[in-house]
Every structure is written in structure tokens, then in C-alpha cells.
């Protein structure tokens, strides 16, 4: 231990953290099995191993640790989150625990890293963005295949919105690294404008308004900070022109994809119902998907006849992380989270690397106002990185020597975290292998309750049961799925099963509830038509048939064509 150079330890920490920033998006794309949880487990195991290595090198040598206000705020928020995970009505999800564990370890590793090695993290993020930009451009010219059946460019991500968010972070960090070089284009710095040009082109191709704003806002803030104190920019008409330009830009972005923007407004309004139900402590971490669609049904029920009914769709995302935190963690969680951000930003003007980290964090949270970075692990890991950097060089709140007993305790905690990650992976691997091998079909009494938190697994299992005519087993799996991710599509599936079983009242209840969630979807109305046909209610069937024929829909697909055909045939027979 005594012969391990100090810089060697910092090199190891910086290379591992930098490697995560560069390769995590690529790994996430390559290991999409098991609902994409493998990259989370790999990240946690890698970071845990490096932290154990640090404890081995420093923990038994009475290392001095300094705890500041940012560390305390971060710890309070994490402790509250752990409490809400363990004490709530939400079905326990081990993946959420693994995610939070990994984010904490990354924050600790960044805090342990010395200043001169932080540049490695910025270079890594810039490199990661460059790799993604090249992949995206190659996808655009059809030399690589996109990861989405609809969108042409996604990089290593599953969606162009995720892709744009990662590029935004890389562009802002790269731009202000170049700024430190006085925007020089000499031989040593020419790669900055070249790399940034490629990334900006890829960002524009991503067509993500949230990502565009995430780049524009920090640039505008820096411009205002640098130039509004100069004589020319002090004139009121210059500042007014700047404000008008921003307003025009925001309105233009709204009308650029008006339908998409209106869906977000509907989501935010509906989420308020969830906040009202549990304003103080929230519904529990991981509860948004279980509660959103019923809240949307309530909102639409109170706003009958509005435009919202035409754009309502199945959704499980808040499209705003502050609303998301309020729904799941309540006012307490929102205050702790906001307090962490406030203290992270305060007093960072003179901190080395503070400006880049602040602008990176601003980029992340502008993106979070209109998207869902907490659901995108390669972007989510940037949060503890930026917070950890801003937590450096603060006045210590607590100073202590790391004793051997404390080191052993930390080793125990990290060891338990590794054990929990491994067991969670084994659980997922066993469940999906059993699903793939048809074990649940051969023995439909086989226990899968340990996966009752996983909506994708339950859906695949229910469809597999249905394919093999195990109706009751499929119904049971879909009921479990309804508890964690209710949607109008799922309710229609349940309604069809009840219809098959001739349980018409239950089928009607499912279709009516589905219609409240998404009034513009034709499937619930078509289901009600089938129920009334089975009951022989001719008058109601005629009304529903006319409604199906005249109903405006967003997309005309096979379901719509089939429903309209049957509706016309029914009317013609009358």
C-alpha cells in the first residue's frame, strides 16, 4: 500500500469515471436485454471496485476527510429518497435501489478526485458526445441503422430526445473548454471548433427542442453575464431587444411542434392531481407510472369538450423532473432537491472548474424542464458528476480522520451494495431466461412475484400466456401490470379477456375507464360496441357505431380500420 503513488490512484479514478461518461451510452445500446439494467449493474460494480481500491489505499492510512454543506445536502436528499423507497406503498423495485447506489458512489469518487484530474471528466464527456455525433451523422446518411423504427437518428440511444440531451451536455462543456482557450483556432486548438461543429449538426438533426433549449439557455446566460455590464449593452433598448428575441424564440419552438408541446401541458396539468393527493411526502419513488393515467382520466373528466381530449395518449413520464420529484417525493423531496441545487451553485464563482460545472448543471436542468433525464441512465450519471465538482473547495463543515473501524464499516456497506447488485442481476436473468424458455407456460403456477415491479416482464408474460390460451394466467398477470402501469391499451386488453369469458360487466368497466383515459382512442369505444352486441342492445350499438365512424383519430391504423368497418356493417344491417 505504501508504494502506491498518489497520482496513480487519481489517474485510476479519473480514467474509470471518464470511461463511464464515454462508453455508458454505447454499452446501454449494446446490452439492451433484461430491460437495459445490465449497464446499471456494470457501472455500479465498476465504481464499487474502484471505491474499495481507494479505501484499501487510503482508508487504513488515516486519510483526512472534509465534509461541506453540499455533501450534507446531498446526503439528506439521498437519505430521504431511501426512506421513501423503503416506506411507501409502491412495490419494491431493486433496480431503483441499484441506480441510487451507483449515483452515490459516483458522487463520492468525484469528490475524492483531485482538481487537476477533473479535466479528464470534461474531456471524456466531450469525447463521448463526439462519438455519438459521428454515429448520428452516419445514421442520417444510412451507413448505420437507427435504434428506433420511426426516427432516423438516435445515436446509441433509443430515442432522439435522449440523444439530443447527451449532445447538449457535451456541446456546452466543449464550448466553455474552448472559451478557456480564448476561442483560439491555432494548431493546438483547432479540434475544438471542428468537434463542436459536428456535434451541433448532430444536435440539429436530432430535432429535440428540449436539447436545443438546453444549449441556448447557458450560452445566453454567459453572454448576459459577460456583456451586459459593458456600456453598449447597458442601454434599455438593447436589453429589451434581447428579451424580445428570447420570447420570439420560445414561441417559435412551441409552434414548431405544437401537438407535442400541448401533450406536455396536458401531462403537467394532470400531474397536479397526483401532487394534490399526496402533497407533503409524495406517492413514493417509482410511483409516477402507477398513478399518472388515472389522474389524466380525472383531469379530462373535469375538462370535457376541450382540445385535451383529442391529444390525450397513454403516458408514463412527467416531461418535467421537478414535477416528477413533487409527485413521487412530495414537497419535502422537492425542498431537499432544490436546497441541494441552491447550495451547489452558491459560492462557486471562484472555484476552479466551477463555471463549466455550473453551466453543465444548468444544461441538464433546462433539459429536465421538458424531458425526463432521470429515466436516461447515461445522462443521469452526469448529475452527481457536476454536483460533486461544485462541492469541491468549500469551507469544511466537518473534518475528521478516517479510522480503520470506519473504513471497515464502509467496506461492509459497499460489499453489501455489490451483493445486492449481483443478486438483482441474477433475479432478472433467471426471470427472463424462464420466460424465454417457456417455464411459466409449462407450469403456470411458477412464482414470478419477485418481478411484479417490472411492467415489461409482466406484459411479455401475459402475452405469452394469452398466446398459449392460458386465459386465467394471462388475466392474473395483466391485473398485476394494471397496479404498476395502468393504460387505456391495457384496460382494453383486460376488457377483451373479460368479454371472452362472458363477464360483460367487468368488460364494460374496463372499456369505460379506458375511454376516460384516452377519449380519442377508438379501441375503448369499439370494445363497448362489442359488449353491447353481446347484450343485444341495438340502440346503444347504433349510437356507438356512429360514434366510431365519425370519431377523429390521430393515427389511422389497422385497429381503426377494423372498428370502422364493423361499425359500418352494423349500421347497414339495421
Amino acid at each position: 500500500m505504501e508504494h502506491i503513488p498518489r497520482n496513480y490512484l487519481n489517474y485510476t479514478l479519473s480514467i474509470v469515471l471518464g470511461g463511464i461518461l464515454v462508453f455508458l451510452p454505447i454499452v446501454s445500446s449494446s446490452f439492451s436485454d433484461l430491460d437495459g439494467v445490465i449497464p446499471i449493474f456494470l457501472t455500479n460494480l465498476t465504481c464499487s471496485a474502484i471505491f474499495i481500491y481507494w479505501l484499501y489505499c487510503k482508508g487504513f492510512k488515516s486519510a483526512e476527510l472534509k465534509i461541506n454543506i453540499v455533501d450534507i445536502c446531498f446526503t439528506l436528499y439521498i437519505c430521504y429518497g431511501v426512506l421513501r423507497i423503503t416506506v411507501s406503498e409502491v412495490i419494491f423495485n431493486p433496480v431503483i435501489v441499484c441506480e441510487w447506489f451507483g449515483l452515490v458512489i459516483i458522487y463520492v469518487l468525484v469528490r475524492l478526485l483531485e482538481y487537476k484530474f477533473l479535466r479528464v471528466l470534461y474531456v471524456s464527456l466531450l469525447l463521448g458526445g463526439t462519438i455519438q455525433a459521428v454515429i448520428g451523422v452516419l445514421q442520417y446518411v444510412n451507413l448505420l441503422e437507427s435504434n428506433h423504427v420511426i426516427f432516423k437518428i438516435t445515436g446509441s440511444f433509443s430515442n432522439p430526445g435522449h440523444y439530443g440531451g447527451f449532445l447538449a451536455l457535451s456541446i456546452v462543456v466543449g464550448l466553455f473548454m474552448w472559451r478557456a482557450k480564448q476561442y483560439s483556432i491555432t494548431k493546438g486548438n483547432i479540434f475544438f471548433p471542428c468537434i463542436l461543429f459536428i456535434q451541433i449538426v448532430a444536435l440539429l438533426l436530432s430535432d429535440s427542442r428540449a436539447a436545443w433549449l438546453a444549449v441556448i439557455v447557458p450560452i445566453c446566460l454567459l453572454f448576459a453575464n459577460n456583456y451586459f455590464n459593458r456600456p453598449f449593452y447597458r442601454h434599455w433598448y438593447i436589453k429589451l431587444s434581447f428579451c424580445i428575441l428570447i420570447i420570439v424564440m420560445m414561441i417559435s419552438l412551441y409552434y414548431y411542434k405544437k401537438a407535442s408541446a400541448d401533450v406536455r401541458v396536458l401531462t403537467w396539468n394532470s400531474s397536479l392531481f397526483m401532487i394534490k393527493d399526496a402533497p407533503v411526502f409524495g406517492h413514493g419513488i417509482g410511483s409516477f407510472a402507477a398513478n399518472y393515467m388515472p389522474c389524466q382520466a380525472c383531469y379530462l373528466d373535469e375538462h370535457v369538450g376541450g382540445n385535451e381530449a383529442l391529444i390525450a395518449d397513454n403516458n408514463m413520464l412527467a416531461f418535467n423532473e421537478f414535477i416528477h420529484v413533487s409527485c413521487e417525493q412530495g414537497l419535502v423531496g422537492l425542498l431537499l432537491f432544490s436546497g441541494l441545487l441552491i447550495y451547489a451553485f452558491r459560492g462557486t464563482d471562484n472555484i476552479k472548474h466551477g463555471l463549466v460545472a455550473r453551466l453543465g448543471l444548468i444544461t441538464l436542468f433546462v433539459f429536465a424542464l421538458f424531458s425526463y433525464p432521470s429515466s436516461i441512465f447515461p445522462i443521469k450519471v452526469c448529475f452527481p458528476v457536476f454536483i460533486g465538482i461544485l462541492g469541491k473547495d468549500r469551507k469544511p463543515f466537518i473534518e475528521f480522520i478516517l479510522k480503520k473501524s470506519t473504513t471497515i464499516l464502509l467496506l461492509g456497506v459497499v460489499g453489501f451494495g455489490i451483493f445486492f447488485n449481483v443478486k438483482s442481476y441474477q433475479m432478472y436473468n433467471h426471470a427472463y431466461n424462464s420466460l424465454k424458455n417457456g417455464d411459466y407456460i409449462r407450469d403456470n403456477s411458477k412464482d414470478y412475484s419477485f418481478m411484479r415491479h417490472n411492467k415489461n416482464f409482466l406484459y411479455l408474460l401475459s402475452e405469452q400466456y394469452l398466446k398459449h390460451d392460458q386465459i386465467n394466467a394471462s388475466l392474473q398477470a395483466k391485473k398485476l401490470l394494471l397496479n404498476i402501469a395502468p393504460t387505456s391499451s391495457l384496460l382494453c386488453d383486460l376488457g377483451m379477456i373479460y368479454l371472452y369469458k362472458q363477464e360483460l360487466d367487468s368488460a364494460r368497466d374496463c372499456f369505460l375507464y379506458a375511454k376516460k383515459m384516452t377519449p380519442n382512442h377508438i379501441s375503448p369505444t369499439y370494445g363497448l360496441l362489442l359488449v353491447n352486441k353481446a347484450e343485444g342492445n341495438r340502440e346503444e350499438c347504433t349510437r356507438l357505431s356512429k360514434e366510431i365512424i365519425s370519431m377523429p383519430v390521430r393515427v389511422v391504423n389497422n385497429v381503426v380500420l377494423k372498428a370502422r368497418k364493423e361499425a359500418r356493417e352494423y349500421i347497414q344491417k339495421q
Side-chain angles (χ1 to χ4, degrees):
M1 285 191 298
E2 294 178 359
H3 300 290
I4 297 176
R6 180 179 178 183
N7 282 349
Y8 181 78
L9 183 58
N10 280 282
Y11 277 124
T12 304
L13 290 176
S14 60
I15 289 172
V16 169
L17 290 170
I20 289 171
L21 293 174
V22 174
F23 295 110
L24 187 56
I26 301 171
V27 172
S28 298
S29 174
S30 303
F31 294 94
S32 57
D33 295 339
L34 310 186
D35 292 339
V37 299
I38 294 178
I40 298 173
F41 297 144
L42 289 176
T43 301
N44 289 358
L45 293 176
T46 303
C47 292
S48 298
I50 295 301
F51 186 48
I52 289 174
Y53 175 58
W54 186 90
L55 288 172
Y56 173 77
C57 296
K58 296 286 189 178
F60 294 102
K61 297 173 66 175
S62 301
E64 184 181 9
L65 294 182
K66 298 179 180 180
I67 309 298
N68 58 44
I69 188 64
V70 176
D71 299 324
I72 292 172
C73 290
F74 185 83
T75 303
L76 287 173
Y77 178 66
I78 293 297
C79 288
Y80 176 74
V82 172
L83 181 65
R84 293 302 293 132
I85 290 173
T86 54
V87 184
S88 73
E89 297 180 358
V90 181
I91 296 174
F92 180 74
N93 187 344
V95 177
I96 293 178
V97 177
C98 293
E99 269 197 2
W100 281 54
F101 177 77
L103 297 177
V104 171
I105 294 293
I106 289 172
Y107 173 81
V108 171
L109 293 180
V110 173
R111 287 284 287 109
L112 294 174
L113 193 62
E114 291 187 2
Y115 264 122
K116 63 181 180 180
F117 294 92
L118 291 177
R119 185 175 175 82
V120 175
L121 304 185
Y122 296 138
V123 172
S124 299
L125 189 55
L126 184 61
L127 176 61
T130 305
I131 292 172
Q132 292 303 315
V134 171
I135 292 173
V137 171
L138 292 176
Q139 289 173 338
Y140 187 76
V141 296
N142 297 318
L143 293 178
L144 287 178
E145 188 176 349
S146 168
N147 292 330
H148 199 285
V149 294
I150 298 176
F151 302 108
K152 193 173 183 179
I153 174 172
T154 61
S156 296
F157 295 84
S158 60
N159 184 290
H162 308 174
Y163 175 63
F166 188 81
L167 283 176
L169 287 168
S170 178
I171 289 170
V172 169
V173 168
L175 183 62
F176 294 105
M177 287 178 67
W178 187 30
R179 176 179 177 271
K181 302 290 184 180
Q182 305 296 321
Y183 302 113
S184 171
I185 53 173
T186 57
K187 184 177 180 180
N189 297 313
I190 189 64
F191 71 94
F192 275 113
C194 295
I195 286 174
L196 289 170
F197 175 76
I198 296 172
Q199 291 192 26
I200 290 170
V201 169
L203 179 70
L204 293 173
L205 293 175
S206 73
D207 205 28
S208 171
R209 293 162 303 161
W212 296 348
L213 275 174
V215 172
I216 292 169
V217 169
I219 292 176
C220 289
L221 288 175
L222 190 71
F223 178 85
N225 183 61
N226 288 347
Y227 293 99
F228 274 8
N229 289 327
R230 298 185 180 184
F232 175 75
Y233 294 98
R234 288 178 183 173
H235 296 293
W236 66 269
Y237 51 84
I238 297 294
K239 295 182 179 180
L240 179 62
S241 301
F242 188 73
C243 293
I244 292 173
L245 180 64
I246 292 175
I247 293 171
V248 170
M249 180 186 67
M250 295 292 289
I251 294 173
S252 301
L253 287 174
Y254 170 77
Y255 281 101
Y256 177 66
K257 289 184 180 178
K258 185 177 182 298
S260 175
D262 289 340
V263 168
R264 280 167 167 75
V265 175
L266 169 62
T267 302
W268 300 336
N269 287 332
S270 301
S271 299
L272 294 178
F273 280 75
M274 201 186 308
I275 296 173
K276 290 176 183 177
D277 287 341
V280 180
F281 298 109
H283 292 269
I285 293 175
S287 64
F288 190 88
N291 292 285
Y292 174 74
M293 288 304 293
C295 289
Q296 179 171 290
C298 291
Y299 177 80
L300 293 174
D301 199 40
E302 291 188 5
H303 297 78
V304 179
N307 182 56
E308 293 94 340
L310 299 176
I311 62 174
D313 206 344
N314 290 309
N315 176 41
M316 298 179 193
L317 300 165
F319 293 101
N320 184 299
E321 289 302 338
F322 294 96
I323 292 177
H324 187 197
V325 169
S326 301
C327 290
E328 294 194 345
Q329 303 173 39
L331 180 61
V332 175
L334 183 63
L335 289 175
L336 289 172
F337 186 63
S338 302
L340 171 60
L341 294 179
I342 291 169
Y343 279 106
F345 276 97
R346 283 182 62 182
T348 56
D349 293 335
N350 299 321
I351 293 179
K352 191 178 181 181
H353 300 292
L355 177 61
V356 182
R358 275 194 303 177
L359 292 170
L361 202 57
I362 290 171
T363 303
L364 183 59
F365 282 103
V366 171
F367 184 66
L369 289 174
F370 308 98
S371 191
Y372 42 93
S374 68
S375 301
I376 313 164
F377 193 64
I379 296 180
K380 195 173 184 176
V381 297
C382 295
F383 173 71
V385 170
F386 291 134
I387 291 290
I389 293 171
L390 292 174
K392 287 181 172 293
D393 201 25
R394 300 297 186 96
K395 182 179 179 180
F397 205 78
I398 303 171
E399 297 184 53
F400 65 94
I401 302 297
L402 189 60
K403 298 180 180 179
K404 289 184 179 180
S405 57
T406 308
T407 302
I408 293 171
L409 177 63
L410 289 173
L411 286 170
V413 171
V414 176
F416 177 77
I418 293 174
F419 172 78
F420 187 84
N421 272 268
V422 171
K423 292 298 291 184
S424 298
Y425 168 75
Q426 290 175 342
M427 178 186 73
Y428 264 68
N429 193 47
H430 171 72
Y432 274 96
N433 281 337
S434 297
L435 185 67
K436 182 179 179 180
N437 297 331
D439 295 346
Y440 297 107
I441 299 302
R442 286 189 291 271
D443 179 13
N444 59 25
S445 64
K446 184 177 174 66
D447 181 39
Y448 56 85
S449 60
F450 56 90
M451 290 292 286
R452 68 189 186 278
H453 64 276
N454 188 295
K455 55 182 178 289
N456 186 54
F457 174 83
L458 290 176
Y459 174 76
L460 293 174
L461 178 63
S462 67
E463 290 299 302
Q464 193 177 81
Y465 279 139
L466 203 59
K467 184 179 179 181
H468 290 82
D469 295 325
Q470 297 185 16
I471 304 301
N472 290 328
S474 178
L475 181 63
Q476 183 63 30
K478 286 185 182 295
K479 282 182 176 179
L480 287 175
L481 180 56
L482 189 66
N483 291 329
I484 61 172
T487 64
S488 66
S489 301
L490 176 60
L491 285 165
C492 287
D493 289 346
L494 283 167
M496 287 298 184
I497 293 176
Y498 283 126
L499 188 62
Y500 176 83
K501 291 165 63 70
Q502 291 298 305
E503 298 179 19
L504 300 183
D505 289 338
S506 296
R508 180 185 289 102
D509 290 341
C510 288
F511 291 128
L512 285 172
Y513 198 13
K515 190 174 178 64
K516 285 185 176 182
M517 289 181 175
T518 54
N520 66 313
H521 284 199
I522 208 166
S523 295
T525 308
Y526 175 61
L528 289 171
L529 173 63
L530 296 178
V531 171
N532 281 277
K533 274 186 179 181
E535 292 178 334
N537 191 340
R538 292 186 178 182
E539 184 178 344
E540 186 64 14
C541 285
T542 302
R543 186 190 68 80
L544 290 169
S545 296
K546 292 179 179 179
E547 183 180 342
I548 288 172
I549 294 170
S550 61
M551 180 182 291
V553 293
R554 295 175 65 184
V555 178
V556 178
N557 52 28
N558 291 333
V559 175
V560 174
L561 294 175
K562 179 183 177 182
R564 286 177 174 172
K565 180 182 177 182
E566 288 194 26
R568 289 191 186 97
E569 289 176 351
Y570 183 85
I571 290 176
Q572 289 171 0
K573 290 178 181 179
Q574 299 305 308

